[in-house]
């Protein structure tokens, strides 16, 4: 069966510091991978998605970036965090074709102070 | 454009009460529809889905029917439990990589 991991689970960072959140998927090959952000009291916003190694599409311009160095690894980064980057970050995966279900990881709660 | 509109919460019910959370959608094509649930402090879990008109998704006593004529996918459960307390998200997908979520509805079930 497939599983998706995210770490860290919780992170408190000062404004201006860098960020690296990691997501890995097990039990599947060549998945589509996604990063979402959930701000407090709001729905989910798609930030990035990837259909393969080194292939990243950005949905919303911001000071975040994503990378996919390996087939089942997806990293969300920032060089300098803003207060507005606080939120709950969720990674998800799906099979590569069609309108398939997306399966979510446990999330990382980020607080920027 | 494509969007999902959910009933605003929070919703508070007594145990064993009937639950309905309304969801309507706007789509430029023919979407698949989903309900996800988020328990406190956790990520999203797929609750149920439907891929075509008149399909009924069901899981854990929850049901939702894909109604193309009313562009709706309302979530229902006949008898809620305290353990159902969570935030429920309605979502649609039209093409790969483009999942649109509603803003979520918080449900609290009291004993």
């Amino acid at each position: 069966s497939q599983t998706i991991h995210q770490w860290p689970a919780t992170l408190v960072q000062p404004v201006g510091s860098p960020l690296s959140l990691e997501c890995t998927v097990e039990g599947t090959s060549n998945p589509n991978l996604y990063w979402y952000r959930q701000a407090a009291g709001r729905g989910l916003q798609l930030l990035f998605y990837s259909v393969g190694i080194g292939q990243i599409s950005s949905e919303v311009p911001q000071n975040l970036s994503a990378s996919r160095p390996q087939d089942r690894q997806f990293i969300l980064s920032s060089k300098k965090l803003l207060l507005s980057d606080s939120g709950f970050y969720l990674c998800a995966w799906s099979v590569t074709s069609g309108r398939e279900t997306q399966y979510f990881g446990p999330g990382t709660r980020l607080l920027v102070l | 454009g494509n969007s999902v509109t959910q009933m605003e919460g929070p919703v508070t019910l007594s145990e064993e009460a009937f639950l309905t959370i309304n969801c309507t959608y706007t789509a430029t094509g023919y979407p698949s529809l989903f309900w996800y649930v988020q328990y406190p402090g956790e990520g999203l879990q797929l609750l149920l889905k439907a891929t075509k008109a008149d399909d009924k998704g069901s899981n854990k006593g929850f049901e939702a029917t894909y109604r193309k004529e009313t562009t709706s996918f309302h979530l229902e459960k006949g008898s809620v439990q305290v353990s159902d307390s969570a935030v429920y998200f309605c979502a649609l997908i039209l093409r790969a990589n483009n999942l649109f979520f509603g803003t979520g509805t918080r449900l609290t079930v009291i004993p």
Side-chain angles (χ1 to χ4, degrees):
Chain A
S1 64
Q2 300 85 10
T3 56
I4 179 168
H5 305 279
Q6 286 186 245
W7 64 88
T10 305
L11 191 60
V12 180
Q13 292 284 90
V15 169
S17 63
L19 174 73
S20 180
L21 303 181
E22 188 164 346
C23 170
T24 58
V25 180
E26 296 176 356
T28 185
S29 296
N30 197 28
N32 282 3
L33 296 172
Y34 311 83
W35 278 112
Y36 288 86
R37 177 169 59 204
Q38 183 181 26
R42 300 180 66 179
L44 280 78
Q45 180 184 41
L46 179 64
L47 302 175
F48 301 95
Y49 68 89
S50 171
V51 299
I53 296 174
Q55 300 179 63
I56 308 295
S57 296
S58 174
E59 291 292 306
V60 181
Q62 58 217 319
N63 72 319
L64 298 170
S65 61
S67 61
R68 185 168 176 176
Q70 301 180 44
D71 181 44
R72 288 168 286 179
Q73 184 184 31
F74 204 25
I75 297 172
L76 183 69
S77 303
S78 174
K79 292 182 179 178
K80 288 185 178 181
L81 284 168
L82 306 173
L83 287 174
S84 57
D85 291 324
S86 294
F88 192 45
Y89 288 83
L90 289 157
C91 181
W93 74 273
S94 69
V95 298
T96 56
S97 61
R99 304 175 304 172
E100 296 294 332
T101 302
Q102 293 183 16
Y103 298 93
F104 287 80
T108 294
R109 192 165 303 281
L110 172 66
L111 179 60
V112 182
L113 300 175
Chain B
N2 304 307
S3 65
V4 175
T5 302
Q6 270 183 251
M7 168 177 158
E8 289 207 14
V11 174
T12 303
L13 295 173
S14 298
E15 205 165 22
E16 299 183 2
F18 185 86
L19 168 71
T20 300
I21 300 178
N22 290 339
C23 171
T24 57
Y25 67 89
T26 302
T28 54
Y30 196 26
S32 293
L33 301 173
F34 305 85
W35 277 101
Y36 283 87
V37 58
Q38 185 178 31
Y39 297 103
E42 298 184 12
L44 271 70
Q45 299 178 24
L46 177 67
L47 182 58
L48 52 85
K49 70 176 184 180
T51 59
K52 61 182 186 296
D54 300 324
D55 266 3
K56 178 185 283 188
S58 62
N59 185 25
K60 300 181 180 178
F62 290 90
E63 292 184 340
T65 301
Y66 191 144
R67 301 288 188 199
K68 186 180 179 185
E69 63 277 14
T70 55
T71 62
S72 64
F73 194 52
H74 304 322
L75 182 68
E76 296 182 336
K77 186 174 184 180
S79 176
V80 292
Q81 305 300 313
V82 172
S83 57
D84 293 327
S85 297
V87 181
Y88 292 82
F89 291 91
C90 185
L92 71 83
I93 192 166
L94 266 173
R95 60 174 175 84
N97 312 320
N98 206 347
L99 188 60
F100 292 90
F101 283 91
T103 53
T105 302
R106 182 176 300 277
L107 169 66
T108 301
V109 181
I110 55 178

